[in-house]
Amino acid sequence: EAGVTQSPTHLIKTRGQQATLRCSPISGHTSVYWYQQALGLGLQFLLWYDEGEERNRGNFPPRFSGRQFPNYSSELNVNALELEDSALYLCASSLSDNYEQYFGPGTRLTVT
Amino acid sequence: GEDVEQSLFLSVREGDSSVINCTYTDSSSTYLYWYKQEPGAGLQLLTYIFSNMDMKQDQRLTVLLNKKDKHLSLRIADTQTGDSAIYFCAESIPGGYNKLIFGAGTRLAVHP
């Protein structure tokens, strides 16, 4: 069974640009989660999508947004990139209302 | 409040047992997790325990939960060099809308 996949593996952007990160959940999973792993800040919850709806949002500014598609894949968009947005962005998936979250390999975003 | 704390580093000899400790503050935590992260990789779900249990064993892994002291531990028996990684403790709380709260991670170094 294929795990959670994320693309791209690496992304380099300049300050002020927009970044789009993609995630495909495990087959049969309807919930997708996004976490940011920044140096010195640890793993922080960003967003949770389930059945196409945003269910919960972490303490991040509105320039972090996303969506979930009918096939349950998801996009994370980061607008007006700042240097401190440089981090590993991890996507996880689970069955709806299930507490087992399985993570993908991450997208490393570097903002210069 | 939501806070999970772990010691940052543990060094063990190959073949010995490793014990990684974690404390959490939210007494209403429902599930407590252990994840493993190898260099350059995402998070691997190792095991989790429901808050009404005090122990769970899975092959070389033993999880102990002391709910009174809000203390969680992960014991790895017969530690191997392949166990070298960062281990994250995480909690989920009711009404937390599936958000996981992570500790800073414990770096386990296994030496011959």
Side-chain angles (χ1 to χ4, degrees):
Chain A
E1 179 186 280
V4 177
T5 59
Q6 293 186 244
S7 63
T9 305
H10 293 90
L11 190 56
I12 300 174
K13 295 284 187 178
T14 55
R15 196 168 46 185
Q17 285 188 315
Q18 180 200 35
T20 298
L21 289 65
R22 296 180 176 84
C23 172
S24 290
I26 291 171
S27 177
H29 286 187
T30 60
S31 279
V32 170
Y33 312 82
W34 289 94
Y35 291 84
Q36 182 197 64
Q37 187 176 26
L39 203 60
L41 293 176
L43 274 152
Q44 295 184 287
F45 169 78
L46 255 169
L47 288 160
W48 170 34
Y49 291 95
D50 183 62
E51 298 284 356
E53 301 282 332
E54 182 182 300
R55 301 295 185 185
N56 195 15
R57 182 181 183 84
N59 189 24
F60 282 84
R63 58 191 185 80
F64 286 83
S65 66
R67 55 182 171 164
Q68 186 178 33
F69 299 99
N71 66 354
Y72 304 112
S73 67
S74 176
E75 256 180 22
L76 174 68
N77 294 293
V78 188
N79 294 319
L81 283 164
E82 299 179 2
L83 297 178
E84 51 265 35
D85 297 333
S86 294
L88 181 67
Y89 289 84
L90 293 164
C91 172
S93 74
S94 76
L95 296 169
S96 186
D97 284 337
N98 187 288
Y99 287 90
E100 293 182 31
Q101 293 185 22
Y102 294 91
F103 283 76
T107 292
R108 184 160 297 282
L109 173 64
T110 302
V111 183
T112 62
Chain B
E2 305 168 351
D3 197 17
V4 178
E5 292 190 357
Q6 302 177 238
S7 53
L8 294 182
F9 187 75
L10 177 65
S11 177
V12 300
R13 192 183 302 276
E14 192 174 13
D16 287 351
S17 291
S18 308
V19 179
I20 303 171
N21 295 301
C22 168
T23 57
Y24 58 97
T25 55
D26 198 315
S27 57
S28 61
S29 294
T30 51
Y31 288 91
L32 293 135
Y33 304 79
W34 286 104
Y35 281 88
K36 175 183 180 183
Q37 187 177 35
E38 296 183 76
L43 300 176
Q44 176 191 353
L45 177 61
L46 288 176
T47 186
Y48 62 93
I49 190 168
F50 188 51
S51 59
N52 68 353
M53 299 169 64
D54 51 21
M55 187 181 102
K56 182 179 180 181
Q57 189 152 4
D58 184 1
Q59 299 182 336
R60 291 191 299 125
L61 305 179
T62 303
V63 178
L64 295 177
L65 174 60
N66 181 328
K67 201 169 177 183
K68 174 175 168 289
D69 294 337
K70 300 193 192 79
H71 183 266
L72 181 75
S73 68
L74 174 70
R75 178 176 178 272
I76 305 173
D78 188 24
T79 312
Q80 303 298 308
T81 54
D83 295 323
S84 294
I86 300 176
Y87 290 80
F88 290 93
C89 169
E91 64 172 347
S92 66
I93 55 176
Y97 299 96
N98 285 20
K99 175 174 75 171
L100 294 184
I101 311 297
F102 284 89
T106 299
R107 183 178 294 276
L108 174 64
V110 182
H111 56 88

